[in-house]
Amino acid sequence: MTKQLKSFYLFKDLDDKSLARLDEISNVIEYKKGSILFFEGDKAANLIILLEGILQVYKTDQKGNKVILHHFFPVDVIAEIVNFEHMRYPASAEFESDGKVLSINYDTFEKEFLKNPDISFAFIKSLSKKIKYLENVIATNMVMNSTARVAKFLCENGDKISKLKKSHIAANLNMTPETLSRILKKLSTMGLIEKLKDEILILDKEGLETFYL
Amino acid sequence: MTKQLKSFYLFKDLDDKSLARLDEISNVIEYKKGSILFFEGDKAANLIILLEGILQVYKTDQKGNKVILHHFFPVDVIAEIVNFEHMRYPASAEFESDGKVLSINYDTFEKEFLKNPDISFAFIKSLSKKIKYLENVIATNMVMNSTARVAKFLCENGDKISKLKKSHIAANLNMTPETLSRILKKLSTMGLIEKLKDEILILDKEGLETFYL
DNA sequence: AATTATTCTTGATATTTGTCAAAGAGACTG
DNA sequence: CAGTCTCTTTGACAAATATCAAGAATAATT
């Protein structure tokens, strides 16, 4: 497994001895689609790195609706502040597909590895990436309306759309399938997109961008 | 000024020589209430540390409304990822009161100081704090409705309320003064709070908490 | 191909919050 | 203390989005 560890950017500069040690304090866990990695409020003993699969992070509002906050893809470090700050998970995480995770005993990791300048720099990099991600979540969900969110999604993910169910897209954009359907119809009527069998053609990307830029 | 630098936690472990060098590459700038520290989209050449005053960070939506994202208080490091990632400011910042800022040439800082383990650890700490803050912004504004936000604000700031204008509170909670007024009336009718001359008494804190916990 | 199940769309209606206008209440000034 | 100014409250209405229910389209299964 040390080979796998080394391939991860956080550990790429570690020597063999350190890698062996890291191997000792970590293990790989596999998850099935739909299974929960952690619940909001759980405590964290391990630093978790997503090796395979897509992980969805969400909160539940008063009405019981999921509010999707973000997605993690391999190879991301998951919620490292929860370890660093000894806090509880602020949201829940569920696998959207089968997945695999590297779980590292955090206390040992902090003591033996975090002082290493390369690791700490990578850690900063990872936190920084997360902040950018959160800023984007805020920019998207707090300042943009539904139409703008859909337009942004189309421009950024136009290619992937055919593979996704509409109801899934709607959930990711934090709106109902009905609202998504109506917005797509509107954009189609405006001549900005064309709805084909199971694909959405973008006819006027600039037109779409005016909704959110 | 080295004394002032040393009092800041990020620099508390620096030796005198380093402090003197830091002093060379930084300067203090004063701002009047209402003045802009930076606009969304600006590039950043300096690492900014808020020494005095309250700084409000916001975005503007399509309709031209301010969406307030957060507030910084002394002594906070402001938007360090913008420096670290060489990106543009994702939001604008305006002084809510007179203020003072320490501005450090970032390129030099990164080269000469960020490798110092104490500084990098403090840097991690600062990023981590920011992530917690952003998580909270998201939790508050994306998953809670207006009533819940007001209830949370009352529970967490009950004491400070008398000093603040209602319109100011409303802006901070990202709602209109009208909405705030109506919610306070509702909570008052429910017997959870009592509106006095220029103070709001919390009669039933647990009752308020049920709106958001 | 026919049947069944799932997803998507449409319409009617409800809810939440914002907008606009006017009235009320304090605070400040001359 | 009357007049003015600012802030807050109230009411009527509008906008955006959610909810619920039914129908249409697609996909899956027998």
Side-chain angles (χ1 to χ4, degrees):
Chain A
M1 197 183 70
T2 44
K3 209 176 271 177
Q4 200 167 14
L5 287 177
K6 200 168 176 69
S7 72
F8 181 40
Y9 72 93
L10 194 51
F11 307 133
K12 70 177 177 346
D13 295 316
L14 288 182
D15 57 62
D16 289 346
K17 199 179 155 197
S18 301
L19 278 173
R21 174 64 180 145
L22 188 61
D23 197 10
E24 271 175 35
I25 62 168
S26 47
N27 49 323
V28 171
I29 308 173
E30 301 198 357
Y31 290 86
K32 288 267 167 246
K33 173 177 176 178
S35 58
I36 302 292
L37 182 59
F38 51 77
F39 282 108
E40 179 173 353
D42 284 356
K43 278 190 177 173
N46 300 301
L47 180 66
I48 294 175
I49 293 164
L50 182 63
L51 299 176
E52 285 173 25
I54 299 174
L55 189 68
Q56 177 191 76
V57 174
Y58 64 93
K59 284 188 168 252
T60 308
D61 70 12
Q62 277 97 345
K63 293 184 189 167
N65 297 321
K66 263 190 192 178
V67 179
I68 297 181
L69 301 182
H70 46 264
H71 288 92
F72 287 109
F73 299 90
V75 179
D76 276 342
V77 185
I78 311 298
E80 60 268 57
I81 29 150
V82 174
N83 301 295
F84 186 75
E85 298 273 353
H86 304 289
M87 51 191 279
R88 285 161 188 276
Y89 287 109
S92 306
E94 174 184 330
F95 277 95
E96 255 186 30
S97 64
D98 289 358
K100 202 195 273 186
V101 137
L102 180 70
S103 176
I104 305 172
N105 181 288
Y106 181 72
D107 287 342
T108 314
F109 176 79
E110 178 172 314
K111 257 186 247 120
E112 301 182 15
F113 291 89
L114 202 51
K115 281 166 194 161
N116 178 321
D118 289 322
I119 297 253
S120 77
F121 190 81
F123 208 77
I124 289 178
K125 193 80 193 163
S126 169
L127 290 171
S128 174
K129 182 178 169 186
K130 206 134 301 180
I131 289 179
K132 282 205 289 185
Y133 202 104
L134 291 174
E135 296 275 7
N136 184 53
V137 169
I138 290 173
T140 305
N141 289 282
M142 279 179 59
V143 324
M144 288 171 30
N145 63 22
S146 297
T147 305
R149 271 179 280 146
V150 172
K152 181 166 186 254
F153 185 86
L154 288 172
C155 290
E156 293 177 354
N157 303 81
D159 39 334
K160 295 169 208 153
I161 273 178
S162 51
K163 288 164 208 148
L164 296 170
K165 269 192 287 189
K166 297 236 170 88
S167 55
H168 188 242
I169 295 172
N172 283 209
L173 295 173
N174 288 321
M175 65 184 65
T176 60
E178 293 94 328
T179 300
L180 175 61
S181 174
R182 285 172 182 126
I183 288 169
L184 289 176
K185 192 182 178 186
K186 182 178 73 178
L187 296 176
S188 184
T189 308
M190 294 171 75
L192 300 174
I193 61 173
E194 190 176 345
K195 289 162 72 183
L196 300 181
K197 195 85 165 46
D198 50 11
E199 196 183 2
I200 296 176
L201 276 188
I202 295 176
L203 301 179
D204 180 0
K205 190 163 182 174
E206 288 189 12
L208 286 176
E209 284 170 351
T210 58
F211 281 102
Y212 67 96
L213 289 184
Chain B
M1 199 183 68
T2 44
K3 210 177 270 178
Q4 200 168 11
L5 288 177
K6 201 171 176 64
S7 71
F8 180 41
Y9 72 92
L10 194 51
F11 309 132
K12 69 176 179 347
D13 296 316
L14 289 181
D15 57 62
D16 289 347
K17 199 179 154 199
S18 301
L19 279 173
R21 173 64 180 146
L22 189 59
D23 198 10
E24 273 175 34
I25 62 167
S26 48
N27 49 323
V28 171
I29 309 173
E30 301 198 357
Y31 291 86
K32 289 269 168 243
K33 174 177 175 177
S35 57
I36 302 291
L37 181 58
F38 51 78
F39 281 109
E40 180 173 352
D42 282 357
K43 277 191 178 175
N46 300 301
L47 179 66
I48 294 175
I49 294 164
L50 182 64
L51 299 175
E52 285 173 27
I54 299 174
L55 188 67
Q56 178 191 78
V57 175
Y58 64 92
K59 284 187 168 253
T60 309
D61 68 13
Q62 277 98 343
K63 292 184 189 166
N65 297 320
K66 261 191 193 178
V67 178
I68 296 181
L69 300 183
H70 46 264
H71 288 92
F72 287 110
F73 300 90
V75 180
D76 277 342
V77 185
I78 310 298
E80 60 270 57
I81 29 151
V82 174
N83 301 295
F84 185 74
E85 298 272 353
H86 304 290
M87 49 192 279
R88 285 160 188 277
Y89 287 109
S92 306
E94 174 183 330
F95 277 95
E96 254 186 31
S97 65
D98 288 358
K100 202 195 274 186
V101 137
L102 180 69
S103 177
I104 305 172
N105 180 287
Y106 181 73
D107 285 343
T108 314
F109 176 79
E110 179 172 312
K111 256 186 247 119
E112 300 181 15
F113 290 88
L114 201 51
K115 281 167 195 162
N116 178 322
D118 290 321
I119 298 252
S120 75
F121 190 81
F123 207 77
I124 289 177
K125 193 82 193 158
S126 170
L127 290 171
S128 173
K129 182 178 170 186
K130 204 133 303 178
I131 289 179
K132 283 205 288 187
Y133 202 105
L134 290 175
E135 296 274 6
N136 185 52
V137 168
I138 289 173
T140 305
N141 289 283
M142 277 179 62
V143 322
M144 288 172 30
N145 61 23
S146 297
T147 305
R149 273 179 279 149
V150 172
K152 181 166 186 252
F153 186 87
L154 288 170
C155 290
E156 293 177 355
N157 304 82
D159 39 332
K160 294 167 208 155
I161 273 179
S162 51
K163 288 163 207 149
L164 297 170
K165 270 191 289 189
K166 296 237 170 88
S167 53
H168 188 242
I169 296 173
N172 283 210
L173 295 174
N174 289 320
M175 65 184 67
T176 60
E178 292 95 328
T179 300
L180 176 61
S181 174
R182 287 172 181 126
I183 288 169
L184 289 175
K185 192 182 178 188
K186 182 178 74 177
L187 296 176
S188 185
T189 309
M190 293 172 74
L192 300 175
I193 61 173
E194 191 176 344
K195 290 162 69 181
L196 300 180
K197 196 88 161 43
D198 50 11
E199 196 183 3
I200 295 176
L201 277 186
I202 293 176
L203 301 179
D204 180 359
K205 189 163 183 174
E206 288 189 13
L208 286 177
E209 285 170 350
T210 57
F211 281 104
Y212 67 97
L213 290 184

